[in-house]
Amino acid sequence: MKPDPESHPALALDETTHQRVRLGILAVLAETAECTFPALREQLELTDGNLSRHLKILEEAGLVELRKTFEDRRPRTWLKLTKQGRKSLRSQLELMEKLVARLDSTMEKE
Amino acid sequence: MKPDPESHPALALDETTHQRVRLGILAVLAETAECTFPALREQLELTDGNLSRHLKILEEAGLVELRKTFEDRRPRTWLKLTKQGRKSLRSQLELMEKLVARLDSTMEKE
């Protein structure tokens, strides 16, 4: 049996938002107004390097905004979703929903 | 505002099944009894090398089974989900649903 010849919804998933760590970052940031780098790192159980690497990709895509402040003379990095980041996360959630709905109906039939 | 200190559902996502191409492979295979290598490659718009690489990871994780046949003396590779593959895909779908539900309720509040 050949699969459906139409374009599969999995193809529409965007690696920028779908990648596991980046989806986690976007998800945590969607749940908070603004978050510090260490708080995000702990929430997602990441290393500094790994978080930085993924934040750079999200920042370059315009999905996340970095803001630097000083507190007691120590630098502090704050992160938040941009409008585009929120929009992209929404699209990602819609695609995930679509994929789950499609597979749920397929897998129930068995 | 600090994010929720409890473990985030995004942390539970398994890279083996969540990765975009592999999720696509599992999704297509869930929709068909068995599928040839070229049919899968076309359905997901992949190159031979990319599909092989991801199939190897899925096969080593016990999620996908390969079967080789000959048709008109030409070798043919058939692919299907294993029982474990179906189970892992189900877990992945449940996690995606959980994440979508959590974020939908957060993002609606704004």
Side-chain angles (χ1 to χ4, degrees):
Chain A
M1 190 180 121
K2 276 187 85 174
D4 184 345
E6 273 178 43
S7 182
H8 198 280
L11 286 178
L13 289 167
D14 180 346
E15 190 66 11
T16 311
T17 54
H18 182 74
Q19 197 279 340
R20 196 178 57 88
V21 174
R22 291 195 289 274
L23 182 58
I25 295 172
L26 296 174
V28 171
L29 293 182
E31 292 170 352
T32 181
E34 207 171 21
C35 178
T36 64
F37 186 96
L40 189 56
R41 184 191 59 209
E42 276 148 44
Q43 174 84 346
L44 292 170
E45 299 172 14
L46 296 170
T47 60
D48 278 355
N50 204 5
L51 177 53
S52 292
R53 189 168 69 84
H54 288 295
L55 280 175
K56 192 162 177 266
I57 294 170
L58 292 172
E59 198 191 6
E60 283 174 0
L63 309 189
V64 164
E65 229 171 61
L66 275 73
R67 189 170 67 88
K68 306 231 177 211
T69 61
F70 279 83
E71 266 172 53
D72 300 328
R73 298 188 193 175
R74 293 175 60 176
R76 219 177 161 80
T77 304
W78 292 87
L79 304 150
K80 62 181 262 188
L81 272 193
T82 62
K83 217 170 180 174
Q84 181 56 43
R86 196 163 290 277
K87 213 173 129 187
S88 295
L89 180 57
R90 269 192 200 285
S91 304
Q92 167 72 21
L93 297 178
E94 277 162 26
L95 272 167
M96 279 164 63
E97 258 178 333
K98 208 168 149 181
L99 195 59
V100 169
R102 173 166 167 157
L103 286 168
D104 269 352
S105 68
T106 307
M107 294 173 87
E108 262 166 27
K109 275 184 220 140
E110 289 150 25
Chain B
M1 189 182 122
K2 275 186 85 173
D4 183 344
E6 273 178 42
S7 181
H8 198 282
L11 286 178
L13 289 168
D14 180 346
E15 191 66 9
T16 311
T17 53
H18 182 75
Q19 198 279 340
R20 195 178 58 87
V21 174
R22 291 195 289 274
L23 182 58
I25 295 172
L26 297 174
V28 171
L29 293 182
E31 292 170 351
T32 181
E34 206 170 23
C35 178
T36 64
F37 185 97
L40 189 56
R41 183 191 60 207
E42 275 148 45
Q43 174 86 344
L44 292 170
E45 298 173 16
L46 297 170
T47 60
D48 278 354
N50 204 5
L51 178 54
S52 292
R53 190 167 69 83
H54 288 294
L55 280 176
K56 193 163 178 266
I57 294 170
L58 292 172
E59 198 191 4
E60 283 174 359
L63 309 189
V64 164
E65 229 170 62
L66 275 73
R67 188 169 67 88
K68 305 231 178 212
T69 61
F70 279 84
E71 267 172 52
D72 300 328
R73 298 189 192 174
R74 292 175 60 176
R76 220 177 161 81
T77 303
W78 293 87
L79 304 150
K80 62 181 262 188
L81 272 193
T82 62
K83 217 169 180 175
Q84 181 56 43
R86 197 163 289 275
K87 212 174 132 188
S88 296
L89 180 57
R90 268 192 202 285
S91 305
Q92 167 71 18
L93 297 178
E94 278 161 26
L95 272 166
M96 280 165 62
E97 257 178 336
K98 207 169 152 182
L99 194 60
V100 169
R102 172 164 168 158
L103 286 168
D104 268 353
S105 68
T106 308
M107 294 173 87
E108 261 165 28
K109 276 184 218 140
E110 288 150 26

